[in-house]
Amino acid sequence: MKESNQHVLKKVSQPGAISEPLTIDVRGKVALVTGASRGIGRATALALAHQGAAVAVHYREKTAEAGAVVAEIERGGGRAVACQADIRRPENISMLVEQTVTAFGKIDILVNNAGIVRDNFMIFMKEEEWAEVLDVDLTAAFRLMKATARIMMRQRRGRIVNVSSAAALTGDLRRANYSAAKAGLLGLTRTAARELAGSGITVNAVAPGLIDTDMTLSLDDAARAKRLAPVPLARFGTAAEVAALIVFLASDAASYMTGQVVGVDGGLHM
Ligand code: NAD
């Protein structure tokens, strides 16, 4: 046996090296999840709470649904607060961050999940369709990262997870606005990862493929079948499957990952 191999074997057989269970733990942490009244945001808020975080459940309009997420977390023994804000408006960003800090005293985890689509072929795309998607899917994420990073820098620790899309990597038809915003989010993720690394803050992105939520509800059977054709796992993913990845990236288990884009897409993009 080569000496280098002996060294590896010796290292992994040290006490504690493989006997300790891996914990995806966010106990004692405070998370702000945008667009958390439904879909991927809701699943993420519930999963973070399940793993021990206090959660600010941000929503835009669906007061009852956001209240139901808070109630579900509280029934499970967790802590949560619902925060209403239209994140297109810059003044609402600082209000949202303040509401979270007022409720729980700090912010350890930001999940930029809120997003919209306004589909149209590029040559027909209206200025408003372009601007609205860029505002929500990219600019609001930038503003929230800026506001929360200042708090995380003081804490010398933080986790930011941005919800991008497979569309950022492939360019979806009729989605020049969405593909551009989600690709922009990846550039923002990487620059922020470099700038914030020295402050103990990691910044990563997830790139979901086809996920069963309100966003994909309008697809008829033929459209679903067509979109599934290139997916090796041959099914839509669930919001919980995206949430599991987000919780991992928000936990200490992912402490050596930053600036990464992780796909959760059934193998669509590989
Ligand atoms: P969804 O439509 O159920 O959720 C979107 C959320 O964003 C909603 O809660 C909505 O209220 C919120 N939102 C939209 N505009 C807002 C605004 N101006 N202010 C505040 N909140 C606003 O869809 P989803 O599938 O759960 O999407 C969540 C994220 O995942 C989005 O960023 C989406 O682009 C991304 N994504 C979804 C899929 C998919 O197949 N479902 C695939 C890739 C990426």
Side-chain angles (χ1 to χ4, degrees), residues 119-130 174:
D119 296 355
N120 211 341
F121 283 107
M122 188 192 69
I123 59 165
F124 302 125
M125 190 166 280
K126 298 183 183 71
E127 285 287 330
E128 311 87 84
E129 290 169 336
W130 173 267
R174 304 180 70 239

Side-chain angles (χ1 to χ4, degrees), residues 35 38 40 58 86-87 113-116 163-164 178 182 208-209 211 213:
R38 66 181 199 213
I40 294 168
H58 159 261
D86 179 346
I87 56 170
N113 165 76
I116 53 166
V163 181
S164 178
Y178 184 75
K182 293 296 189 181
I211 309 298
T213 67

Side-chain angles (χ1 to χ4, degrees), residues 161-175:
V161 184
N162 293 323
V163 181
S164 178
S165 169
L169 311 169
T170 56
D172 274 5
L173 272 180
R174 304 180 70 239
R175 288 191 170 169

